[in-house]
Amino acid sequence: MARIAYILLCHKDPTAIIKQAERLTSSGDYMSIHFDASASAADFAQITKALCSNPNVVFTRQRIRCGWGEWSLVQATLNAVESAVKAFPRATHFYMLSGDCMAIKSAEYTHNYLDDNDFDFIESFDYFESDWIKTGWQEERLIYRHWFNERTQKKRFYWMFGLQKRLGLTREIPEDIQVQIGSQWWCLRRQTIEKVLEFTKRRKDVMRFFRTTWIPDETFFQTIVRHLIAEDEIRTRTLTFLMFSDYGMPLTFYNDHYDLLVAQDYLFARKISSEATDLKRRLGLLYTAQGVEFQISNEGRSLFNFLSGRGRIGRRFATRFWETESTLGRERELLIVVCKKWHVAKRVLERIRKTTNLPTIEYLFNEESTPLPDLGGIQNTLEKRTRHRRALMRMLFDYYETDRLIVCMDPGNIELLHDFASDRSTTRILEIECQFSDEYLAGHAVRVGLAGERTSAETLGRILPTIRNDMTFECDRIRDAQFKNYARMRENASPQENADVLSDFLQIPPEKALDIAKMHYLFSD
């Protein structure tokens, strides 16, 4: 059976570290702790006193002062690994952790998973060919030498870089090394760790090279493991679930993320908030539990983005110059059908087209596959359509040689509605209000990636009210905007009531509007 030696790098919160060590070693696993030498001496004394009698815990002999982006992080890891290899000869796997990590599966599940998957788990993507680095330096991290800390010695860091660049003092990457990059949170087998340690003693040239690279914790182990281990024995992924914001900062999980975390196809997660006491309690109990079956749905990233992104609704970037200085035309009339149930709006649009012979376009700002004429490339992507929305609409009016055009939009497109409503042309908005059953909302959650086929009923029950409230909020925003020429059809209204609304919206005779409104399957799901 797998026996894990956890490699823990930490620098704060001694109480949490003690609990983490006691929890993870209670199932027969081990832990090697490196506590940052620059951290509180009192905190370190508290940790060593609490854990000194635990035979499954060892501390690194030499503590390092660690700094972000420095070699010190790699050296601290190597020191902890060497201590673990020596102290725990029965350890089969070595798992890299931080003090902010917690298990999101039981020890039983974790051991069985590693027994069934005899691989090294480490992200290792080609440094130059992959897109792992989104912005900033790439080649500069390697070909120049970096002796100073970019955060604490910024002036020296950039002065030294500028000097090397002016003098052309670049260096070669060791010729037999193909640099890789990836997350520092890995899980490696014992034979791999032993090969890595032997490599560090044998290849002094490679060690010298990495000691002065920038952010080597993202490249050192990733490169060496790929250099030493056959590709079919490596799984290029981490077993630790982590997410980053748009600004590259790690996201933090709180008490209400328990169901989200345990449903992910990972063994650990970071970062767990120090204030998430209930989440830590539940995960702690889970780790020691027996016979737990996990339903892996893996919708965590899209669900987290959905929940956290709700706070940004309503924000709008400044209007672009081509929007403020252009117009659809004073004599033109843009008719917008707004509906959350796209299939309902498409039925209405089809009936309108047949009844009025007006040109109609479905969700052109929401569905990239919406049929559009060739307009010189502006229609190719949703991003282009949205960015150049007035120009796009003006070209569509010209293409169809009409002064009246009907389009569909989602209620979430509030900024587009405001923009078109502010144009010098006439804009009419027809909102179609539909009823949303729990079955429909569950299907919607699956379609947009907030849930999967294996998502539990309990998790669905927790997110459905949020989705329903979101849809209600979108509709309320539209009504609160008090658009001129706004009308609303309702699923629970009579065909005659809806016909009156349609007649006014389309400016057609009441009998033609009734022919559209009385379609018996109009609101069917």
Side-chain angles (χ1 to χ4, degrees), residues 80 239 306 408:
L239 295 178
F306 166 71
C408 284

Side-chain angles (χ1 to χ4, degrees), residues 7 9 34 60 72-82 96 184 186 221:
I7 308 301
L9 265 57
H34 178 277
T60 56
S72 56
L73 285 172
V74 178
Q75 188 61 61
T77 304
L78 287 171
N79 290 352
V81 167
E82 289 175 345
M96 182 76 178
Q184 69 187 99
W186 39 255
F221 285 96

Side-chain angles (χ1 to χ4, degrees), residues 323 326-330 332 390 418-427:
E323 296 170 345
S326 63
T327 178
L328 306 187
R330 289 184 182 276
R332 286 173 170 168
R390 290 197 185 185
H418 276 291
D419 192 37
F420 287 125
S422 66
D423 190 74
R424 290 196 293 268
S425 63
T426 300
T427 300

Side-chain angles (χ1 to χ4, degrees), residues 104-122:
I104 56 175
K105 296 293 185 293
S106 64
E108 179 184 52
Y109 181 98
T110 299
H111 293 150
N112 290 338
Y113 184 92
L114 294 178
D115 284 337
D116 295 339
N117 295 272
D118 186 24
F119 304 105
D120 293 310
F121 292 90
I122 182 169

Side-chain angles (χ1 to χ4, degrees), residues 146 149 181 336 451 470 511:
H146 304 279
N149 186 287
I181 192 168
I336 305 175
D470 247 36
E511 58 272 16

Side-chain angles (χ1 to χ4, degrees), residues 179-191:
V179 180
Q180 305 285 306
I181 192 168
S183 165
Q184 69 187 99
W185 312 110
W186 39 255
C187 177
L188 302 176
R189 298 168 298 173
R190 186 179 191 93
Q191 60 267 34

